[in-house]
Amino acid sequence: AGSEGLRCGAQRGGQMGGTAPPWNGRIYQAQSQALFLLLLVLGQEAQSVSAATAEGGRSSREEEVASAEGEQQERWDELFAAPDADVERLAQYGGTSAAPRSLAVPPISGWSWPTSTTLSFFYTLTKKGVVVGNVTSINTGTQTEVIVLASGCREAADGGAPVLYRSIEIRSPGTQYVSAYENGAIKLVSSADRYLCYNPDYKVPVGIAARQDSAAAGSQQTLKGDLGLSTPPLALKRTTYSGNDEALANKNSKIVFMWGGIYSLCYTADGSFDEATNFKENVAPIRIKVLGVRSPCNGGPASSTKADGCIEKERWECFFSYEADGSVQNCILNFKDDGARSGWSVTAGDRSKLTWSETFGSDTLSAAGQLSSATSTQPKYCAVDAPGTAGIFNQAVSGDIIVADALTAATLPAVRSNHSTAFAVAACYCPSYSMETGEPCINGVGAASDVCCEKHVEFIQMVGVIYFWTIRICDMTNYDGVRVSGSSAGCATPYRRVLPQQKFVLRLECPPGGGCENTGNNLIKYVDITADSPLPSWKDQHPCKTSAEPASVVWPTASASETLSGGARVDYKVWYAQPVKINKSVKKDIDVCYSNSNSPTYFFKVGTIKTIDAFAFASKHPAHWDVSNVVNKSTVKYAGYQGSFTLYSGISGVHPSPYDSNLFSGKAMTYFLSYDREKFWGTGTLTTLEKYLGYDKTWPFEAQRELDSECQKFSYSTYLIDTNPLPLAQVAGASNDNDVYQTFSGTGKNQFVKVNLAGVIAVCYCAIVSDSNSCEIPTNWIYGGRMTIHGPSGDKQWVFDTEVVVKLEVNGWGLSSNDRLRIIPNTNNCEDNNGNPVGALSFKTGCPATDGLACTFAVASTTVPLVALSGPGSPGSGQSNTITAITVFNDYSQLEFKEPIQGLLQPGDVITIDYDSVIINGKDKVDELPWEKYETYKLTGEYDYQDTISAGQVLKKYVVGHTVSQVINGGIVEPNKLSIPIGWLLAGRPAFTFPAIGGQPGGRWTRRNKVQTAETLKGMALTGLDLKVQTAETLKGMALTGLDLKVCWGVFDAGISTFYKQAGTLKFITPEPMAQAQIFLTTKQANALAPTIIYFGTSPTRTDYATSGGKTKLMLRFLDV
């Protein structure tokens, strides 16, 4: 063949494309000399894929090598002189110098491919089952790579693998391959080193060629593609073209590239790859660039290991909340150059996008929740049609085709709020593929690239299964079973929130198609929210992988933490044998992590548990708890009057509610703190808790935490309430029973409470209770809400002269125009006769009277109405000042009034706003969602008892109220504005308006800390004659002038006035007569209008006259009118 040809062959051996290892002249000279002698002596037919040119000269590459050798050139020429004619003739195959030549020696160490070698792949393009034509992928000219497409596989009915290469060819124009290449073979590898071709570690898995092979029905399996891990090396046979032009080809292959990336073909002439004879192996000089996604297939629980088709079984774990409560776009598929999921990458063309399949079908299960057979799952595949998931995903903005390339991660849309079932879809990638041409878009511009990745059938590579998990918060009695419409079994109506410190059952809904394993090898754990919590679960730094369960997760036994299995069913897992408690305050979150294994390495997030936004108060002690047959005693509301205290739960519905929670299931304790009455806080001059924390001006975001801290001090007043802490609360039945009510009524469920002081109380709650029925540690106490105990301050002293018409003003809490007063003798008590005491008779009501009839003596049952200042006020009051607008800030809001408000409301007054006069987010009242109702409660300062909101019930409310403050701008008080301590953060801030509704003005309000009677009361000085005419029965109701009377405060409700608390004392004093008092007429003429002269002198014994200064006032009362 000539020394130059041998030299070229020796130099090009080694790396892909003929690139040799570093030159070792001595070794190559010895090899070349031996080969040359072998040719001369034996005259055997030499063979090399690296053919000489027809003229036998050196190629341009050889010239480059020769020039690079430098000083070794002389030695080379000496050893390899040009052969004579006989040797040259022996080297000819075909007999003439004009014909292509190939060396006639079996492959030896260092053989290489000609520079003109090409690599081609062919597949048949079909559209809807119709063959369109063949598509060829080939390197041309000086290209060193061929571009092909990664592909998945559809069902047989949909056409199997969209891109199935049926033919492969290695061709070197002008070269013949002799008989030594008759049994050649190739395999796909990830290394370009020819000396590693034998090593199985570098083999590359391939995709699925068909969903079913040709085996008999019932025995069919998926058919793996050629060149993969489960198939032998692919045979390449000599193929003759025109003349003596030959190629190495297989025209009956089934090649499906599974992974994107850069790969090589290892070739062996004898069909086998062996380390001992790897000199005969070489790497094709054309690398294979596969457009597509690459995954690690590195195993894990229920995950794929490295195998043909393994990318289809790769897992992407995503989650959504029940009814999408708090769900966000958390499902991220990332193949980026930086930040990608570990082991994942993408080799992209002009277009690189992602979509998904239709949802997997339901699994066919046995009664025990196990897969019935190997065909029990109903997976879906890619490259078929649009997924049809608009009813599941909120695709309005992103659609169902998303960019996913080396720079951009794909974020799937959030799950819609009306979807609640776990599901799975196949993740489908488009490798810049055009269904119109069958070719990828590469380096195109404009319309040349726009034709790719626009149709769902072009998303041909399946890159795993996306499992969408969801959790259900269940009670102790409804967690089990398959969910059936109309039945409560299977946690059919789960809760969105959990009660702090109360037991619940967690049920995990498994996505079909392999979401859960059919064994008990699974774990659950709860982890705290951190800055890394929003990361996708596949991130190594996700808390599910790095964090242990915190102490706030309370199991019945400590050993249960991170050790409990959810069972072996594949439709759901449930943890009920040892129900857990979350020892967190309200409005707190904790993530739920699941593992399909007993290994903590593989935990991923399946949801978030939220504690309730607020405790729900009940209106009464439930009758079914009342073992003493006391009829539904109402929740304590009035100072000095016995009542119950009950919490409510088990609230769920179509829309999220701040009160949404599981049922009560265990013991609990509570105690009351005086919020705005008792002055126990601060240093020096003590003040109320409200003012100590500044909550009379603002309600900050940290209010819950700060009030939790106050509760945890466990410092309470023994005078505020007779039994503080309140009696123990427990469920009605056994320890794991549930109940919607939790009444603090003792172990016998028949104890009640009485709050002695009116005012707003703060409720402190603890349900981590020891065997000795005490809160285990002080830090378990949390703040549970506020409510107003209605009543007067009780310390008022009124002193009036007799025969003077007066009014009484009462200060207190929760006051309204339904309040009443009754004036009683000081020997009686307001609580007498079940709140119906006998009244005093020594005063008149309805005064003054122009007809001589209305101003009459009180009787024993006389009640005096009270009126609360309000806007717009009662008809005829002349007061029409309503709220017209609100400006909301983070921790307070400013109310704007129709008219100046300063003369009506003063700083420190407490108001509530009429719920029906407020519009939130522009909605009619009937259209308000539960959370919108709650936000309106917060603005109005009045809340519904949650056990009275159902249709057909009488709605009852409790009061909290807002303390008002002046609005000062630039040192000037704004007369039409007041500030209240309630605000909303900008994110999610509601919009409030106060329009006129149904003929009623908007923005109606009521002052709650002050009420007053009409100016119609007149104390009388009883004479001896008056006393003589009284009966013995009524005489005891009389009060002699100068003696204290008691003023009782009560409420008119359901047609009855009931009195609960003493508002103060009242004394009528008969003033001493003036020293002189005369009236002088100025005319004697009858029926004439003329001035009258009144003359009087004050009594010297009244010292207050002597000390008075400034102006005085004269009032004339006609006693006989």
Side-chain angles (χ1 to χ4, degrees), residues 338-532:
D338 60 331
R341 182 178 176 183
S342 179
W344 288 75
S345 62
V346 63
T347 302
D350 292 355
R351 293 289 181 268
S352 182
K353 297 184 179 181
L354 188 86
T355 188
W356 50 90
S357 71
E358 61 180 306
T359 57
F360 284 25
S362 300
D363 295 338
T364 303
L365 304 177
S366 67
Q370 299 289 297
L371 296 174
S372 301
S373 67
T375 59
S376 295
T377 60
Q378 301 180 54
K380 302 297 179 182
Y381 301 102
C382 300
V384 183
D385 293 311
T389 54
I392 295 178
F393 292 116
N394 188 5
Q395 301 172 189
V397 177
S398 63
D400 56 18
I401 294 179
I402 306 169
V403 173
D405 56 25
L407 300 176
T408 307
T411 302
L412 272 64
V415 175
R416 287 188 176 276
S417 61
N418 59 355
H419 186 83
S420 60
T421 304
F423 63 98
V425 294
C428 306
Y429 176 76
C430 174
S432 200
Y433 176 63
S434 170
M435 190 65 184
E436 297 302 317
T437 64
E439 297 178 352
C441 297
I442 300 294
N443 299 324
V445 294
S449 291
D450 291 340
V451 298
C452 289
C453 302
E454 296 301 318
K455 305 178 181 66
H456 292 90
V457 293
E458 294 170 339
F459 290 74
I460 58 177
Q461 185 189 15
M462 182 173 174
V463 293
V465 179
I466 309 174
Y467 293 104
F468 280 86
W469 301 79
T470 189
I471 57 175
R472 290 178 174 253
I473 300 168
C474 312
D475 291 319
M476 302 296 298
T477 55
N478 72 338
Y479 59 83
D480 205 7
V482 178
R483 288 183 288 109
V484 179
S485 177
S487 170
S488 62
C491 203
T493 305
Y495 305 105
R496 296 177 176 84
R497 305 285 189 274
V498 298
L499 289 162
Q501 305 176 356
Q502 287 286 332
K503 292 178 289 188
F504 67 93
V505 174
L506 182 76
R507 172 170 163 144
L508 174 63
E509 300 295 314
C510 300
C516 288
E517 290 184 330
N518 58 350
T519 68
N521 293 332
N522 55 80
L523 295 173
I524 198 76
K525 75 172 178 178
Y526 302 85
V527 298
D528 279 332
I529 305 294
T530 71
D532 290 329

Side-chain angles (χ1 to χ4, degrees), residues 612-688:
I612 55 176
D613 286 1
F615 280 96
F617 292 174
S619 66
K620 61 187 178 183
H621 177 282
H624 66 277
W625 275 26
D626 200 345
V627 297
S628 61
N629 293 321
V630 177
V631 178
N632 291 343
K633 188 175 287 290
S634 295
T635 293
V636 61
K637 184 175 181 179
Y638 304 118
Y641 189 75
Q642 192 180 66
S644 64
F645 181 68
T646 303
L647 298 175
Y648 191 70
S649 68
I651 298 171
S652 63
V654 176
H655 300 290
S657 166
Y659 300 113
D660 193 303
S661 70
N662 55 307
L663 299 175
F664 291 105
S665 59
K667 297 186 292 186
M669 300 182 65
T670 192
Y671 74 92
F672 292 164
L673 281 177
S674 176
Y675 180 74
D676 65 351
R677 178 72 185 268
E678 294 185 299
K679 298 180 179 180
F680 294 151
W681 284 267
T683 57
T685 302
L686 301 181
T687 187
T688 64

Side-chain angles (χ1 to χ4, degrees), residues 12 50 57 166 170 498 604 659 664 682 743 752 769 787 807 820 929 940 943 995 1007 1024 1045 1062 1098:
R12 292 182 183 174
S50 180
R166 288 291 188 179
I170 301 176
V498 298
F604 54 88
Y659 300 113
F664 291 105
T743 293
F752 301 101
V769 179
M787 61 186 299
K807 64 180 178 183
R820 300 289 186 266
L929 298 177
T940 64
Y943 296 75
R1007 183 175 61 186
L1045 301 173
Q1062 182 174 321
T1098 60

Side-chain angles (χ1 to χ4, degrees), residues 143-489:
Q143 292 177 341
T144 59
E145 68 181 19
V146 60
I147 298 177
V148 295
L149 299 165
S151 177
C153 185
R154 302 165 294 196
E155 293 285 4
D158 296 319
V163 178
L164 175 64
Y165 292 100
R166 288 291 188 179
S167 177
I168 179 174
E169 177 185 279
I170 301 176
R171 184 180 181 190
S172 301
T175 303
Q176 292 181 335
Y177 299 92
V178 294
S179 59
Y181 295 87
E182 191 63 39
N183 296 315
I186 55 172
K187 66 178 180 179
L188 188 65
V189 294
S190 59
S191 171
D193 189 343
R194 65 184 296 173
Y195 295 107
L196 295 176
C197 282
Y198 75 91
N199 192 330
D201 293 340
Y202 294 93
K203 288 191 69 175
V204 178
V206 297
I208 305 298
R211 288 293 157 197
Q212 295 178 341
D213 59 19
S214 58
S219 302
Q220 295 170 321
Q221 296 181 349
T222 56
L223 182 64
K224 308 297 194 300
D226 291 332
L227 298 178
L229 304 183
S230 56
T231 55
L234 180 64
L236 284 189
K237 301 295 184 180
R238 287 181 357 182
T239 301
T240 301
Y241 286 85
S242 60
N244 292 311
D245 200 4
E246 293 184 341
L248 304 175
N250 187 317
K251 298 189 176 183
N252 192 29
S253 62
K254 48 183 187 302
I255 301 171
V256 179
F257 293 100
M258 183 186 76
W259 278 345
I262 305 297
Y263 304 99
S264 301
L265 283 180
C266 273
Y267 173 81
T268 180
D270 63 1
S272 64
F273 293 89
D274 185 84
E275 182 178 8
T277 59
N278 66 359
F279 67 87
K280 67 183 183 302
E281 300 160 7
N282 202 351
V283 176
I286 309 303
R287 66 180 187 174
I288 303 170
K289 181 178 182 179
V290 185
L291 300 184
V293 174
R294 175 162 181 164
S295 71
C297 288
N298 57 0
S303 185
S304 59
T305 55
K306 188 176 179 181
D308 294 333
C310 64
I311 196 170
E312 292 187 355
K313 293 182 171 59
E314 293 278 37
R315 301 173 64 95
W316 298 91
E317 315 291 356
C318 302
F319 71 94
F320 65 97
S321 301
Y322 174 69
E323 296 288 356
D325 177 31
S327 283
V328 295
Q329 291 177 263
N330 62 73
C331 194
I332 300 174
L333 280 65
N334 193 336
F335 321 128
K336 292 167 53 178
D337 290 342
D338 60 331
R341 182 178 176 183
S342 179
W344 288 75
S345 62
V346 63
T347 302
D350 292 355
R351 293 289 181 268
S352 182
K353 297 184 179 181
L354 188 86
T355 188
W356 50 90
S357 71
E358 61 180 306
T359 57
F360 284 25
S362 300
D363 295 338
T364 303
L365 304 177
S366 67
Q370 299 289 297
L371 296 174
S372 301
S373 67
T375 59
S376 295
T377 60
Q378 301 180 54
K380 302 297 179 182
Y381 301 102
C382 300
V384 183
D385 293 311
T389 54
I392 295 178
F393 292 116
N394 188 5
Q395 301 172 189
V397 177
S398 63
D400 56 18
I401 294 179
I402 306 169
V403 173
D405 56 25
L407 300 176
T408 307
T411 302
L412 272 64
V415 175
R416 287 188 176 276
S417 61
N418 59 355
H419 186 83
S420 60
T421 304
F423 63 98
V425 294
C428 306
Y429 176 76
C430 174
S432 200
Y433 176 63
S434 170
M435 190 65 184
E436 297 302 317
T437 64
E439 297 178 352
C441 297
I442 300 294
N443 299 324
V445 294
S449 291
D450 291 340
V451 298
C452 289
C453 302
E454 296 301 318
K455 305 178 181 66
H456 292 90
V457 293
E458 294 170 339
F459 290 74
I460 58 177
Q461 185 189 15
M462 182 173 174
V463 293
V465 179
I466 309 174
Y467 293 104
F468 280 86
W469 301 79
T470 189
I471 57 175
R472 290 178 174 253
I473 300 168
C474 312
D475 291 319
M476 302 296 298
T477 55
N478 72 338
Y479 59 83
D480 205 7
V482 178
R483 288 183 288 109
V484 179
S485 177
S487 170
S488 62

Side-chain angles (χ1 to χ4, degrees), residues 969-992:
N969 284 326
I972 300 175
V973 175
E974 296 204 28
N976 287 58
K977 293 183 179 181
L978 289 173
S979 175
I980 58 174
I982 185 66
W984 287 265
L985 298 178
L986 184 60
R989 180 177 291 172
F992 297 106

